[in-house]
Amino acid sequence: MTKVRRQKKRKHFKANINRKRLRNRLENVGEINCIPIKRAWNHKISARSNLREMGIAYDPNEALKIPSYKQQQTEKVVAIALKNGDFTVTEEEDMTPSLPSKASVVRELEADAKAPRESSLRLPKSHLDLIVYLLDKYGNDYKAMERDRRNYYQETWKQLRGKIKKFMKMPKEYGKYLESRGLLDKILDENVIKNEVEALMIDSD
């Protein structure tokens, strides 16, 4: 019986490919806009290894796995056995995972996330003009605002109330409105009175 010889495909060198450009395109991770991550990034290792060293999850499905039914039952059995004293956990089993070598990146990201930021809420000028007009004319009567002829888009009183609440969360624009109407001092006085009443209630307790 004769053995069948496998024919190998002859390799052809492609002279039209720029190998350096191809390598750079494969290894390129794109522009990193996060300064702490960019500062700690090591271009000699993969993206997964970089993020592991920083303590950041590369794949959330791997970091937060949904336990299977078998794993849940195993954990229950182990918990019952530990409670009854059937066996003890060895030092190897009780080892806590070591901190990543670049854990400072996570701390910087957490501090940046908790830092106070200026409100970025914005409304078009046409919306602001309508809100100012409605507040001047109707005050807090949202149902009357709904029936106003300048409510061109026939928004409900709840939609108008939502726009006004959004306007009140814009300190720069809302502060200018209160100052122009002479209401800023009144609101500050009401806040002072409210704080004094709360303090008296705490003292009386």
PDB file of all heavy atoms in Angstrom, residues 11-24:
ATOM      1  N   LYS A  11       4.822  28.788  -0.332  1.00  0.00           N
ATOM      2  CA  LYS A  11       4.686  30.131   0.219  1.00  0.00           C
ATOM      3  C   LYS A  11       5.257  31.154  -0.755  1.00  0.00           C
ATOM      4  O   LYS A  11       6.340  30.951  -1.305  1.00  0.00           O
ATOM      5  CB  LYS A  11       5.408  30.235   1.554  1.00  0.00           C
ATOM      6  CG  LYS A  11       4.768  29.385   2.645  1.00  0.00           C
ATOM      7  CD  LYS A  11       5.496  29.556   3.961  1.00  0.00           C
ATOM      8  CE  LYS A  11       4.855  28.719   5.043  1.00  0.00           C
ATOM      9  NZ  LYS A  11       5.558  28.872   6.343  1.00  0.00           N
ATOM     10  N   HIS A  12       4.506  32.218  -0.919  1.00  0.00           N
ATOM     11  CA  HIS A  12       4.933  33.296  -1.803  1.00  0.00           C
ATOM     12  C   HIS A  12       5.174  34.555  -0.975  1.00  0.00           C
ATOM     13  O   HIS A  12       4.337  34.931  -0.139  1.00  0.00           O
ATOM     14  CB  HIS A  12       3.871  33.576  -2.870  1.00  0.00           C
ATOM     15  CG  HIS A  12       3.612  32.412  -3.784  1.00  0.00           C
ATOM     16  ND1 HIS A  12       4.402  32.131  -4.867  1.00  0.00           N
ATOM     17  CD2 HIS A  12       2.660  31.450  -3.752  1.00  0.00           C
ATOM     18  CE1 HIS A  12       3.956  31.058  -5.485  1.00  0.00           C
ATOM     19  NE2 HIS A  12       2.889  30.609  -4.824  1.00  0.00           N
ATOM     20  N   PHE A  13       6.287  35.169  -1.184  1.00  0.00           N
ATOM     21  CA  PHE A  13       6.587  36.410  -0.482  1.00  0.00           C
ATOM     22  C   PHE A  13       5.853  37.564  -1.169  1.00  0.00           C
ATOM     23  O   PHE A  13       5.974  37.758  -2.376  1.00  0.00           O
ATOM     24  CB  PHE A  13       8.097  36.680  -0.486  1.00  0.00           C
ATOM     25  CG  PHE A  13       8.464  37.942   0.240  1.00  0.00           C
ATOM     26  CD1 PHE A  13       8.518  37.978   1.614  1.00  0.00           C
ATOM     27  CD2 PHE A  13       8.751  39.098  -0.473  1.00  0.00           C
ATOM     28  CE1 PHE A  13       8.859  39.135   2.279  1.00  0.00           C
ATOM     29  CE2 PHE A  13       9.088  40.273   0.186  1.00  0.00           C
ATOM     30  CZ  PHE A  13       9.147  40.281   1.573  1.00  0.00           C
ATOM     31  N   LYS A  14       5.077  38.301  -0.361  1.00  0.00           N
ATOM     32  CA  LYS A  14       4.319  39.419  -0.910  1.00  0.00           C
ATOM     33  C   LYS A  14       5.144  40.691  -0.757  1.00  0.00           C
ATOM     34  O   LYS A  14       5.241  41.258   0.340  1.00  0.00           O
ATOM     35  CB  LYS A  14       2.977  39.545  -0.201  1.00  0.00           C
ATOM     36  CG  LYS A  14       2.083  38.327  -0.411  1.00  0.00           C
ATOM     37  CD  LYS A  14       0.764  38.482   0.315  1.00  0.00           C
ATOM     38  CE  LYS A  14      -0.115  37.261   0.107  1.00  0.00           C
ATOM     39  NZ  LYS A  14      -1.400  37.386   0.829  1.00  0.00           N
ATOM     40  N   ALA A  15       5.683  41.128  -1.848  1.00  0.00           N
ATOM     41  CA  ALA A  15       6.573  42.299  -1.805  1.00  0.00           C
ATOM     42  C   ALA A  15       5.800  43.602  -1.678  1.00  0.00           C
ATOM     43  O   ALA A  15       6.386  44.639  -1.374  1.00  0.00           O
ATOM     44  CB  ALA A  15       7.432  42.328  -3.066  1.00  0.00           C
ATOM     45  N   ASN A  16       4.493  43.557  -1.927  1.00  0.00           N
ATOM     46  CA  ASN A  16       3.723  44.801  -1.894  1.00  0.00           C
ATOM     47  C   ASN A  16       3.232  45.154  -0.494  1.00  0.00           C
ATOM     48  O   ASN A  16       2.534  46.155  -0.312  1.00  0.00           O
ATOM     49  CB  ASN A  16       2.524  44.701  -2.849  1.00  0.00           C
ATOM     50  CG  ASN A  16       1.594  43.560  -2.458  1.00  0.00           C
ATOM     51  OD1 ASN A  16       2.020  42.618  -1.810  1.00  0.00           O
ATOM     52  ND2 ASN A  16       0.351  43.654  -2.845  1.00  0.00           N
ATOM     53  N   ILE A  17       3.554  44.353   0.537  1.00  0.00           N
ATOM     54  CA  ILE A  17       3.093  44.615   1.905  1.00  0.00           C
ATOM     55  C   ILE A  17       4.217  45.276   2.697  1.00  0.00           C
ATOM     56  O   ILE A  17       5.352  44.795   2.708  1.00  0.00           O
ATOM     57  CB  ILE A  17       2.656  43.308   2.594  1.00  0.00           C
ATOM     58  CG1 ILE A  17       1.410  42.746   1.903  1.00  0.00           C
ATOM     59  CG2 ILE A  17       2.375  43.536   4.070  1.00  0.00           C
ATOM     60  CD1 ILE A  17       0.952  41.429   2.465  1.00  0.00           C
ATOM     61  N   ASN A  18       3.865  46.365   3.349  1.00  0.00           N
ATOM     62  CA  ASN A  18       4.818  47.060   4.214  1.00  0.00           C
ATOM     63  C   ASN A  18       4.771  46.400   5.595  1.00  0.00           C
ATOM     64  O   ASN A  18       3.821  46.579   6.349  1.00  0.00           O
ATOM     65  CB  ASN A  18       4.446  48.547   4.308  1.00  0.00           C
ATOM     66  CG  ASN A  18       5.512  49.352   5.015  1.00  0.00           C
ATOM     67  OD1 ASN A  18       6.152  48.881   5.943  1.00  0.00           O
ATOM     68  ND2 ASN A  18       5.689  50.590   4.575  1.00  0.00           N
ATOM     69  N   ARG A  19       5.795  45.584   5.910  1.00  0.00           N
ATOM     70  CA  ARG A  19       5.775  44.806   7.152  1.00  0.00           C
ATOM     71  C   ARG A  19       5.794  45.693   8.396  1.00  0.00           C
ATOM     72  O   ARG A  19       5.142  45.398   9.398  1.00  0.00           O
ATOM     73  CB  ARG A  19       6.990  43.874   7.177  1.00  0.00           C
ATOM     74  CG  ARG A  19       7.102  42.952   5.997  1.00  0.00           C
ATOM     75  CD  ARG A  19       6.080  41.850   6.035  1.00  0.00           C
ATOM     76  NE  ARG A  19       6.035  41.102   4.794  1.00  0.00           N
ATOM     77  CZ  ARG A  19       5.238  40.072   4.579  1.00  0.00           C
ATOM     78  NH1 ARG A  19       4.408  39.683   5.519  1.00  0.00           N
ATOM     79  NH2 ARG A  19       5.240  39.449   3.419  1.00  0.00           N
ATOM     80  N   LYS A  20       6.515  46.774   8.339  1.00  0.00           N
ATOM     81  CA  LYS A  20       6.596  47.660   9.492  1.00  0.00           C
ATOM     82  C   LYS A  20       5.244  48.312   9.773  1.00  0.00           C
ATOM     83  O   LYS A  20       4.792  48.376  10.913  1.00  0.00           O
ATOM     84  CB  LYS A  20       7.658  48.737   9.231  1.00  0.00           C
ATOM     85  CG  LYS A  20       7.884  49.674  10.391  1.00  0.00           C
ATOM     86  CD  LYS A  20       8.993  50.675  10.078  1.00  0.00           C
ATOM     87  CE  LYS A  20       9.203  51.624  11.253  1.00  0.00           C
ATOM     88  NZ  LYS A  20      10.265  52.608  10.957  1.00  0.00           N
ATOM     89  N   ARG A  21       4.585  48.772   8.713  1.00  0.00           N
ATOM     90  CA  ARG A  21       3.274  49.392   8.871  1.00  0.00           C
ATOM     91  C   ARG A  21       2.235  48.374   9.367  1.00  0.00           C
ATOM     92  O   ARG A  21       1.372  48.686  10.188  1.00  0.00           O
ATOM     93  CB  ARG A  21       2.838  50.001   7.540  1.00  0.00           C
ATOM     94  CG  ARG A  21       1.588  50.873   7.643  1.00  0.00           C
ATOM     95  CD  ARG A  21       1.220  51.425   6.282  1.00  0.00           C
ATOM     96  NE  ARG A  21       2.299  52.242   5.742  1.00  0.00           N
ATOM     97  CZ  ARG A  21       2.467  52.480   4.459  1.00  0.00           C
ATOM     98  NH1 ARG A  21       1.652  51.932   3.565  1.00  0.00           N
ATOM     99  NH2 ARG A  21       3.459  53.251   4.035  1.00  0.00           N
ATOM    100  N   LEU A  22       2.323  47.145   8.864  1.00  0.00           N
ATOM    101  CA  LEU A  22       1.400  46.098   9.287  1.00  0.00           C
ATOM    102  C   LEU A  22       1.585  45.761  10.765  1.00  0.00           C
ATOM    103  O   LEU A  22       0.604  45.617  11.506  1.00  0.00           O
ATOM    104  CB  LEU A  22       1.634  44.845   8.434  1.00  0.00           C
ATOM    105  CG  LEU A  22       0.754  43.627   8.746  1.00  0.00           C
ATOM    106  CD1 LEU A  22      -0.707  43.942   8.470  1.00  0.00           C
ATOM    107  CD2 LEU A  22       1.208  42.432   7.929  1.00  0.00           C
ATOM    108  N   ARG A  23       2.844  45.668  11.223  1.00  0.00           N
ATOM    109  CA  ARG A  23       3.114  45.378  12.631  1.00  0.00           C
ATOM    110  C   ARG A  23       2.597  46.502  13.532  1.00  0.00           C
ATOM    111  O   ARG A  23       1.981  46.249  14.562  1.00  0.00           O
ATOM    112  CB  ARG A  23       4.619  45.187  12.829  1.00  0.00           C
ATOM    113  CG  ARG A  23       5.003  44.753  14.247  1.00  0.00           C
ATOM    114  CD  ARG A  23       6.464  45.002  14.506  1.00  0.00           C
ATOM    115  NE  ARG A  23       6.765  46.429  14.486  1.00  0.00           N
ATOM    116  CZ  ARG A  23       7.896  46.941  14.008  1.00  0.00           C
ATOM    117  NH1 ARG A  23       8.807  46.172  13.470  1.00  0.00           N
ATOM    118  NH2 ARG A  23       8.099  48.247  14.029  1.00  0.00           N
ATOM    119  N   ASN A  24       2.852  47.745  13.137  1.00  0.00           N
ATOM    120  CA  ASN A  24       2.385  48.881  13.934  1.00  0.00           C
ATOM    121  C   ASN A  24       0.864  48.913  14.021  1.00  0.00           C
ATOM    122  O   ASN A  24       0.296  49.255  15.059  1.00  0.00           O
ATOM    123  CB  ASN A  24       2.900  50.194  13.336  1.00  0.00           C
ATOM    124  CG  ASN A  24       4.392  50.345  13.482  1.00  0.00           C
ATOM    125  OD1 ASN A  24       5.006  49.699  14.344  1.00  0.00           O
ATOM    126  ND2 ASN A  24       4.996  51.180  12.656  1.00  0.00           N
TER     127      ASN A  24
END
